[in-house]
Amino acid sequence: MRKNIIAGNWKMNKSIDEGKTLASSVVNMVSSKLPGDAEVIIIPPFVHLTPVKDQIESALNISLGAQNCSNHDSGAYTGEVSANMLRNVGVKYVIVGHSERREFFNEDNAIMAEKTTKALAAGLIPIFCCGESLEVRKAGEHEKFVSNQIEEGLFHLSLDEMSKVVIAYEPIWAIGTGETASTKQVQEMHRSIRLMLMDQYGDAAAEETSILYGGSVKPENAEELFSQSDVDGGLVGGASLKAQDFVDIANSFK
Ligand code: 13P
């Protein structure tokens, strides 16, 4: 059975104290067993990782994630953080290929492929993001675009490596806009991603891969989104900054 996951990407928000308070509120509000046996992942900025880890340590179903890692192991890369460093501070998951990295930091599929490899080599689970712009969606090119991102970012992995990866489909036009993709659009794209995985890695691996949706997930739409057969949870931005909203989303599996 593939895993249900709710991941909260705080992006570049919250002071350390605010982050500690938010993490401890989530811990206090998440019961030991969530519907659908979901795992909660908190993904704060780098400098919050250790203080947040201290807050969530006692919670069995809450893990720590990072928002990015370097595509290099070590050396003269000012401002970068390696996958091994993240592993050292107790990180379990790392986001790779978020559209904001692609857009604002010019990171392309080749860099994402390297980051995915580095993350896996360090023992981290990559949450590999993909998703199209509004322009691409309007041109009806979204499936081709996303399939290219996945092919170039992930298909260099062995079957064993791929079996550890989580995928997040985040259409750029739905991120932070309040406009969620329709349930039908989400299910169609998730199905198409799973079919790609089947072709490349076989049915068993594809069935085991968790595919999350991201883009204006809220307590009001989470239940319907997560009820789709190929939607295994969410990568949540804005709503993860409010403990109650985030925990309501985490309780939205059937
Ligand atoms: P929002 O939930 O704010 O739309 O952000 C989604 C996202 O980018 C999560 O990584």
Side-chain angles (χ1 to χ4, degrees):
M1 266 294 285
R2 54 191 186 244
K3 198 188 272 183
N4 288 320
I5 293 173
I6 290 295
N9 174 10
W10 292 3
K11 306 192 179 181
M12 197 172 72
N13 290 295
K14 302 283 179 195
S15 67
I16 300 278
D17 280 347
E18 288 166 348
K20 277 161 63 176
T21 305
L22 175 55
S24 82
S25 305
V26 171
V27 170
N28 291 334
M29 290 159 76
V30 165
S31 43
S32 54
K33 193 169 167 2
L34 285 164
D37 246 339
E39 179 174 0
V40 170
I41 309 170
I42 296 184
I43 311 180
F46 288 139
V47 292
H48 297 53
L49 286 169
T50 299
V52 166
K53 182 177 165 251
D54 292 343
Q55 300 297 323
I56 65 176
E57 217 145 35
S58 61
L60 292 176
N61 49 359
I62 306 183
S63 304
L64 191 63
Q67 296 176 15
N68 184 30
C69 69
S70 174
N71 54 329
H72 300 285
D73 287 327
S74 65
Y77 300 103
T78 302
E80 289 289 271
V81 174
S82 76
N84 275 320
M85 291 171 184
L86 295 173
R87 186 74 183 143
N88 283 168
V89 294
V91 165
K92 181 172 171 191
Y93 292 88
V94 61
I95 297 177
V96 172
H98 195 282
S99 61
E100 288 149 20
R101 300 297 314 173
R102 296 176 187 269
E103 184 180 351
F104 304 129
F105 303 94
N106 297 323
E107 294 182 1
D108 59 13
N109 289 338
I111 292 181
M112 301 318 176
E114 289 173 8
K115 290 188 179 201
T116 307
T117 298
K118 294 294 179 199
L120 286 163
L124 300 176
I125 300 172
I127 302 177
F128 182 87
C129 298
C130 54
E132 79 287 355
S133 65
L134 190 56
E135 207 181 1
V136 170
R137 164 73 56 173
K138 279 187 174 157
E141 301 279 315
H142 43 286
E143 287 199 10
K144 201 165 129 223
F145 183 88
V146 167
S147 98
N148 187 54
Q149 285 180 320
I150 290 183
E151 204 175 307
E152 293 186 4
L154 292 179
F155 281 3
H156 62 293
L157 300 177
S158 67
L159 173 61
D160 183 49
E161 288 170 324
M162 186 60 212
S163 68
K164 300 187 175 92
V165 173
V166 172
I167 293 178
Y169 168 58
E170 297 203 308
I172 297 168
W173 47 275
I175 295 177
T177 57
E179 186 181 346
T180 320
S182 73
T183 311
K184 184 166 170 284
Q185 287 170 321
V186 174
Q187 169 57 24
E188 274 172 8
M189 184 59 92
H190 282 222
R191 189 71 207 152
S192 131
I193 292 170
R194 206 175 300 285
L195 290 174
M196 278 190 76
L197 298 179
M198 274 177 196
D199 274 356
Q200 185 72 12
Y201 292 102
D203 291 9
E207 282 304 330
E208 287 298 307
T209 302
S210 296
I211 308 179
L212 315 182
Y213 166 75
S216 300
V217 176
K218 315 175 250 238
E220 298 78 41
N221 58 26
E223 188 175 322
E224 195 184 327
L225 286 164
F226 301 166
S227 69
Q228 300 303 299
S229 56
D230 288 295
V231 180
D232 309 307
L235 181 52
V236 185
S240 74
L241 299 173
K242 293 188 195 133
Q244 186 66 60
D245 284 0
F246 186 54
V247 173
D248 285 349
I249 293 170
N251 278 307
S252 295
F253 292 97
K254 281 282 173 217

